[in-house]
Amino acid sequence: MNKKLQIGLIGAGGIVQGAHLNPGWLAVPDCEVVAVCDVNPIAAQKLADKFQIPHVFNDYKDLVKMKGLDAVDICTPNKLHTPMVLAALKAGKHVMCEKPLATTVKEVLQMQKAAQAAKKILMTAQHCRFGEHSQAIKAWVDTGALGEVYHARVNATRRNHLPTSPGFINPELSGGGPCLDIGVHALDTAMWLMGFPRPVRVSGRALTNFAKGHEIPGAWGEWDRKMYGVEDFASGYVHFDNGATMALEASWLQHQEKEDWNATLLGKKASVTWPTGKFYTAINRSLIDGVIQPKPGVKPAHTEEILAFADAIRNDKPSPVPVEQTLSVIAILEGIMTSSAVNKEVSIPKYA
């Protein structure tokens, strides 16, 4: 494939403008964004005018049928992902889709089957894997420095940064709150660092503690309390097939000093925390602390993930974020919500 990759964007919101398009696709050589689609015609045209995108659509079904288009980048509310991904794959396009790929395991399995049938790449945009700190920590972990990882602590918690748009707080659009919005990032990164052990059972709790009231002021402004229908806090405890466990917390609003966004892996040789790279071990009865330095030469994480996606298309490589891995992530998050609803631990089937 010698020509420039022709890319279509579905969604013209903030994540597209601030990450996927710039510094994303615009920083990738031999790629050209040729189409954008949004249900808001003003937003779509405004983005097209700003970045000289020649084709504008208001229906994703029309965009995916566009001749010459190689790939589609989907950045829309969570509950809209599945029909858009399926339509793009059916039309013979490679697909990168913002996290979470879907809100249920059933939908991810549908997408997996469609990608296999179309023989096209399907990639979840889990950009946290691609940053300079993540890449350095992963390389260190893969040397075996941690030994057997027996537990992980994963946090994606905020004090008062609740996203206010309907795409986040209306369950008909989002399918969930901070668990699916930011918890998915920290969980995916932790699982990736651990080598993706298979989750077998999970218990969880999802609560709306503050979002219906006015006690905590929102750093991003006010939101519609009547529309708000998702959790503002979730926690989970996961058991894996190799005996390891994981504790997960995600929140948009709670009483804490500042945002807490990290994952700590506890191993029998050492521990390490992402994204700081701080590690702790003991050698010859001496306690040792250290810091893994960022990997040099790494571009911004969103640029790196898009570079990896484009490279996979051009060189017939596997998806940089395989659907099988996303399946485990969504199984855990869905399991947390199910466990909270039935008030007991739930099993996670083996998906093969």
Side-chain angles (χ1 to χ4, degrees), residues 29-100:
D30 298 324
C31 292
E32 183 179 8
V33 176
V34 297
V36 60
C37 173
D38 199 282
V39 293
N40 182 337
I42 296 175
Q45 190 62 56
K46 185 177 180 180
L47 187 73
D49 292 342
K50 182 177 181 180
F51 294 101
Q52 293 81 52
I53 301 172
H55 300 284
V56 180
F57 299 91
N58 301 128
D59 189 332
Y60 71 89
K61 295 175 184 176
D62 294 327
L63 181 144
V64 299
K65 293 176 183 177
M66 184 176 166
K67 291 183 178 180
L69 202 63
D70 296 297
V72 171
D73 183 357
I74 299 172
C75 300
T76 60
N78 303 340
K79 294 289 281 186
L80 304 181
H81 289 175
T82 298
M84 293 174 174
V85 168
L86 294 177
L89 290 171
K90 186 176 181 180
K93 309 300 189 288
H94 300 285
V95 179
M96 183 171 75
C97 179
E98 250 304 320
K99 58 75 197 168

Side-chain angles (χ1 to χ4, degrees), residues 166-183:
F168 291 93
I169 66 174
N170 182 346
E172 294 182 2
L173 293 174
S174 67
C179 207
L180 284 171
D181 176 37
I182 54 178

